[in-house]
Amino acid sequence: SKERGYPILINQFPYESALVYKNNLFRTVADAYGLKSLPSWIPQTFDLETELASFIGEFREREQKGEDNYWILKPFNLARSIDTTVTNNLDQIIRSMETGPKVCQKYIHRPALFDGKKFDLRFVVLLQSIEPFRAFVYEVFWIRLSNNDFNLSQTEINEYETHFTVMNYGRSLRQLHFNDFIEEFSKQNTSFTWPLVRQRIYKMLSHLFQAAAKTHPEMHFPQARALYGIDVMLDEEANPFILEVTFSPDCNRACQYHPSFFNDAFGCLFLDERTNVTPLFD
């Protein structure tokens, strides 16, 4: 406490909505890099509340060129895939706005697969400071798998367990330890190595938070610390993409399978300890 001579620290940064609101995430990265120089790791995203006309133009242009036109619709600030849809139907996209404001994000239609199934990876980033920039990634990550083989056919496009990976709320959940995932994923994908994939992911995470620091200096608050969950997907060439950012995510599985998780996270954020974390640099 202040009375005992210690600084008062809080577990949240101001203006973090620049990252955790889905309609702001793309805008933050675009403001940092410019629309013509966007990094490959941020999927093209439209705020349907303000950019519907621009999105329709993009959709029609891709349609005329015969390009892939699958999109994923997400509410601005909901989790667990609630009110989230994958479609290549423009009418359905427009009608989806009736259930609340949404972003329309380019769907990764050729994802890397694990046992033929779609997956994403939940990384935890521990943010100590915006200026100077100090952030760490927890070395343990969590794998989230769909239950059905990946398939983009029209009969499967609306099948939740084919296109979504959040299964730990009432659905059949396959728990896979990260070390087992790395070993098996490396066997199934011999054209690239996991150390290379990990390097790409860590670099992307560093650039994401530095983009926020650049475009939103008002996030700087010396006494703030925070923990974020970052959902990452790989395409078939193992290029990583940021899907979304969550403040103070559900860490039940983290604590269940890695009992030291909260001690490691708390120690990093508030005690300057460095157990099971890797610093993020440019």
Side-chain angles (χ1 to χ4, degrees):
S1 70
K2 188 174 182 180
E3 291 77 12
R4 295 180 179 178
Y6 299 107
I8 297 174
L9 302 177
I10 62 173
N11 66 334
Q12 191 169 10
F13 279 84
Y15 301 100
E16 65 180 14
S17 59
L19 289 172
V20 302
Y21 279 30
K22 298 177 184 68
N23 57 319
N24 291 340
L25 175 61
F26 180 83
R27 189 177 303 132
T28 294
V29 176
D31 287 346
Y33 286 89
L35 283 173
K36 293 184 178 180
S37 304
L38 282 172
S40 59
W41 45 261
I42 189 74
Q44 186 178 21
T45 306
F46 293 87
D47 180 340
L48 293 183
E49 292 293 294
T50 60
E51 299 174 320
L52 179 60
S54 297
F55 167 72
I56 292 174
E58 174 69 17
F59 188 97
R60 293 298 191 198
E61 183 176 345
R62 297 180 70 92
E63 189 175 52
Q64 291 171 5
K65 292 180 178 178
E67 297 177 348
D68 154 67
N69 228 351
Y70 285 95
W71 299 81
I72 184 166
L73 301 156
K74 304 177 181 180
F76 285 0
N77 197 29
L78 291 177
R80 304 181 184 179
S81 302
I82 296 171
D83 198 18
T84 301
T85 307
V86 177
T87 184
N88 62 349
N89 185 295
L90 181 58
D91 291 338
Q92 184 179 359
I93 292 171
I94 295 172
R95 287 198 307 272
S96 74
M97 298 172 64
E98 296 174 0
T99 59
K102 291 183 179 62
V103 296
C104 191
Q105 186 180 79
K106 188 66 193 66
Y107 189 59
I108 300 170
H109 68 294
R110 292 180 177 173
L113 302 177
F114 185 90
D115 288 342
K117 296 173 175 57
K118 178 180 171 179
F119 67 91
D120 61 38
L121 309 174
R122 164 63 63 86
F123 285 85
V124 169
V125 169
L126 306 161
L127 184 61
Q128 267 197 335
S129 173
I130 289 291
E131 180 57 46
F133 178 71
R134 288 199 307 272
F136 302 82
V137 59
Y138 197 62
E139 293 169 357
V140 176
F141 60 90
W142 288 267
I143 300 90
R144 306 190 304 184
L145 287 158
S146 65
N147 286 335
N148 300 338
D149 287 349
F150 184 73
N151 188 333
L152 264 180
S153 68
Q154 290 301 312
T155 57
E156 288 287 318
I157 196 65
N158 294 318
E159 180 56 54
Y160 182 93
E161 296 195 6
T162 299
H163 292 281
F164 295 91
T165 61
V166 179
M167 300 296 169
N168 49 323
Y169 299 99
R171 295 177 183 267
S172 175
L173 171 66
R174 178 183 177 185
Q175 177 61 38
L176 188 65
H177 191 275
F178 80 107
N179 280 328
D180 296 332
F181 168 82
I182 291 172
E183 180 180 358
E184 187 59 34
F185 181 79
S186 299
K187 291 178 183 178
Q188 296 179 22
N189 299 273
T190 57
S191 57
F192 38 79
T193 65
W194 183 255
L196 173 62
V197 177
R198 181 177 57 212
Q199 180 184 35
R200 290 175 178 175
I201 292 172
Y202 284 12
K203 183 176 182 179
M204 173 185 69
L205 295 176
S206 177
H207 286 182
L208 171 66
F209 281 89
Q210 290 187 61
K214 176 181 178 181
T215 58
H216 293 280
E218 65 272 19
M219 283 183 67
H220 173 60
F221 187 72
Q223 292 160 272
R225 308 286 188 270
L227 182 154
Y228 298 95
I230 319 295
D231 295 336
V232 174
M233 184 171 287
L234 305 175
D235 69 10
E236 61 186 359
E237 296 180 349
N239 297 306
F241 294 83
I242 296 282
L243 299 183
E244 55 190 71
V245 179
T246 304
F247 165 72
S248 193
D250 180 355
C251 294
N252 181 59
R253 272 207 298 168
C255 295
Q256 180 180 357
Y257 293 98
H258 301 277
S260 69
F261 170 75
F262 261 125
N263 283 341
D264 296 340
F266 187 91
C268 176
L269 288 174
F270 298 106
L271 303 176
D272 285 327
E273 296 175 354
R274 301 289 180 263
T275 304
N276 295 322
V277 299
T278 296
L280 292 176
F281 300 108
D282 189 1

